[in-house]
Amino acid sequence: MNHIVRILGISDITHNVKCFKFSKPAGYTFTPGQATDVSINKEGWANEQRPFTFTCLNDDPYLEFTIKRYPDHNGVTDHLHQLNEGDELIIGDVWGAIAYKGPGCFIAGGAGITPFIAILRQLHKENKISGNKLLFSNKTAADIIYEKELTLMLGSNLINILSDQEDNRYQHGYIDAEFIKREVHDFNIPFYVCGPDKMISDVNEILAKYGAKPENVVFEK
């Protein structure tokens, strides 16, 4: 079932990421980590659906997406970033396989952090975030989404690594086997993986190599 919702506010998160807050249909619920299909309620765009993850909490009085712009595509994200307060979106029913299974290690690449935002915010609100670690890969420091909030929630359990920039505040390189082995000391815990398809495949292969059980690795299939 589709719902037409109105944008209540738009804010800049990074140089190419915006947060969209919009009206919440009556009775609409989701579990942190879930997503929905979204299109823009304008002529020529209503059938162009793309999946986005909710970054708000289920009990918030509004809904929220945190969306990276890909201007080269001249597609949905580029047009979303040109919308204004009062414009309308079309959202569908919720779906998604990324669900919290207990304290573990979150591994995210770039905008792949978005399914984890609501999960971590919910855990923080409930004082249950202890025991969780986030390995977060980005190209540069300017690309890190919600860095201050993630640092506040996770403290030293937030490990940022940059691939295209050397900065003594962060590790440099990629989320590869060496990095994972250095940062993860127990492979019997739940793992939550999200990012580009190749990154997910590579990380899952590394986790399996180090003994993580397939049923303990949560990712969108």
Side-chain angles (χ1 to χ4, degrees):
M1 179 180 177
N2 286 339
H3 305 270
I4 296 175
V5 297
R6 185 172 55 86
I7 296 175
L8 305 174
I10 303 172
S11 55
D12 292 320
I13 303 303
T14 71
H15 62 101
N16 62 357
V17 175
K18 290 181 183 288
C19 174
F20 296 80
K21 291 186 178 180
F22 50 97
S23 57
K24 186 175 187 176
Y28 196 92
T29 63
F30 67 93
T31 301
Q34 287 191 309
T36 189
D37 292 319
V38 180
S39 60
I40 300 167
N41 193 27
K42 291 188 177 182
E43 186 176 351
W45 291 97
N47 294 322
E48 292 289 327
Q49 295 183 324
R50 298 293 186 274
F52 294 106
T53 310
F54 300 105
T55 52
C56 54
L57 302 185
N58 183 56
D59 56 4
D60 286 333
Y62 54 84
L63 295 174
E64 175 189 289
F65 297 130
T66 302
I67 299 175
K68 181 178 178 179
R69 182 181 195 175
Y70 298 92
D72 295 345
H73 298 185
N74 190 31
V76 172
T77 64
D78 190 41
H79 283 265
L80 278 166
H81 274 240
Q82 298 174 42
L83 296 180
N84 298 297
E85 185 177 322
D87 285 336
E88 293 178 339
L89 304 176
I90 303 170
I91 65 171
D93 292 329
V94 302
W95 54 268
I98 296 181
Y100 187 64
K101 289 187 171 184
C105 183
F106 292 80
I107 303 175
I113 189 68
T114 54
F116 303 153
I117 295 297
I119 294 173
L120 294 171
R121 284 174 169 172
Q122 188 70 45
L123 291 171
H124 184 252
K125 181 180 179 181
E126 297 174 356
N127 293 317
K128 294 178 180 177
I129 203 166
S130 178
N132 287 287
K133 188 171 191 175
L134 170 60
L135 310 181
F136 193 10
S137 172
N138 286 278
K139 290 182 178 180
T140 71
D143 296 315
I144 303 174
I145 297 171
Y146 294 127
E147 182 181 11
K148 288 183 179 179
E149 182 181 4
L150 290 170
T151 302
L152 175 67
M153 293 193 293
L154 290 159
S156 61
N157 282 324
L158 167 62
I159 308 297
N160 286 297
I161 184 167
L162 307 178
S163 61
D164 294 3
Q165 177 188 356
E166 294 198 33
D167 185 317
N168 58 18
R169 296 172 298 168
Y170 310 99
Q171 295 196 39
H172 178 66
Y174 296 90
I175 295 182
D176 54 17
E178 180 182 348
F179 174 77
I180 290 175
K181 184 68 172 176
R182 183 169 68 244
E183 296 297 338
V184 179
H185 309 297
D186 179 3
F187 287 89
N188 292 313
I189 60 173
F191 289 91
Y192 308 91
V193 185
C194 194
D197 290 343
K198 187 177 186 309
M199 178 205 147
I200 293 174
S201 175
D202 290 348
V203 167
N204 288 359
E205 188 175 317
I206 292 166
L207 295 176
K209 169 186 168 184
Y210 289 136
K213 297 176 182 176
E215 61 268 25
N216 283 346
V217 181
V218 178
F219 63 101
E220 201 67 64
K221 299 176 176 65

